[in-house]
Amino acid sequence: MAFRGPKVWLWRWRRNPLKRRADMVESWVVLGVWALTVLAGVLAGLTTAGSVEHGLARERVEWRPLVGRLSEQAPGKVAASGSASGDRVWAKVGWTGPDGSAHTGQVRVGPGSAAGTPVTVWTDRQGRMVTEPATAAQARLRASLVGGVAGVAAATLPFTGGRVLRGRLERRRVAQWDTDWAHFDTLWGRPTG
């Protein structure tokens, strides 16, 4: 590994007689790629997070809880009173939609729940069963996580493109060095490599 010496800030933009045009191009490419990477990541993350949070807020407004009744006894045995068992089983439930139509579905209830037991069923505007909507705090967390993932994914594209471009610039610079050394080789009349 070569010794690099102390870190010098903004070295790409300092005057140097050995600096080539390719070095200046690379410095601007690096600056542009970083700016584009940050901008793309932040914009994609914020846009996605806002969209997810808006969708979850709409669900909180549109979805309503209804009282349904178990159509049949739930499978399993009734847990002893005071039991800390969190076991839930699927049971058939029926409810009446906002338009008066009858609906049926499956819900999770305690084992052995009797037919006719009231249960809360969340429905959309058409009376179809949906999951309970996310609370405002849950929605913020989900939106933040999805927005973060979307931001990182969006930032990957310009970052990767910049890495590819820098690799090409590096290969071109090495080829130029080879050409320059070959020129000096003929001037000195002896091999330099």
Side-chain angles (χ1 to χ4, degrees):
M1 182 172 160
F3 176 72
R4 293 187 178 227
K7 179 104 172 142
V8 178
W9 292 100
L10 302 174
W11 63 271
R12 292 178 188 272
W13 286 276
R14 291 184 181 214
R15 291 183 185 268
N16 184 338
L18 299 177
K19 184 166 48 175
R20 299 168 176 228
R21 183 171 184 261
D23 297 326
M24 271 310 279
V25 169
E26 183 182 10
S27 66
W28 286 107
V29 165
V30 168
L31 181 65
V33 164
W34 276 111
L36 192 58
T37 298
V38 169
L39 184 66
V42 169
L43 286 178
L46 290 176
T47 303
T48 303
S51 176
V52 168
E53 194 160 2
H54 176 72
L56 293 173
R58 190 180 71 242
E59 288 176 358
R60 279 194 306 278
V61 170
E62 293 178 358
W63 294 359
R64 294 283 172 233
L66 296 175
V67 176
R69 304 251 176 221
L70 291 182
S71 305
E72 54 193 37
Q73 181 168 342
K77 295 183 180 183
V78 179
S81 62
S83 173
S85 173
D87 291 341
R88 310 284 279 171
V89 295
W90 288 102
K92 190 172 183 180
V93 67
W95 71 93
T96 304
D99 60 356
S101 60
H103 297 273
T104 60
Q106 297 273 330
V107 293
R108 306 254 317 167
V109 295
S113 297
T117 303
V119 292
T120 302
V121 177
W122 286 88
T123 61
D124 62 9
R125 289 184 174 185
Q126 290 75 34
R128 295 179 300 226
M129 187 186 310
V130 293
T131 60
E132 183 177 351
T135 65
Q138 291 170 335
R140 278 191 300 278
L141 178 63
R142 285 184 196 174
S144 299
L145 292 174
V146 173
V149 169
V152 169
T156 301
L157 186 64
F159 181 77
T160 304
R163 297 291 294 183
V164 168
L165 184 58
R166 283 189 67 199
R168 286 185 177 179
L169 287 171
E170 183 66 25
R171 283 191 295 278
R172 190 172 175 191
R173 185 174 23 244
V174 168
Q176 184 63 41
W177 272 106
D178 287 344
T179 303
D180 290 348
W181 277 115
H183 175 71
F184 282 115
D185 185 29
T186 58
L187 287 177
W188 292 343
R190 56 190 165 99
T192 57

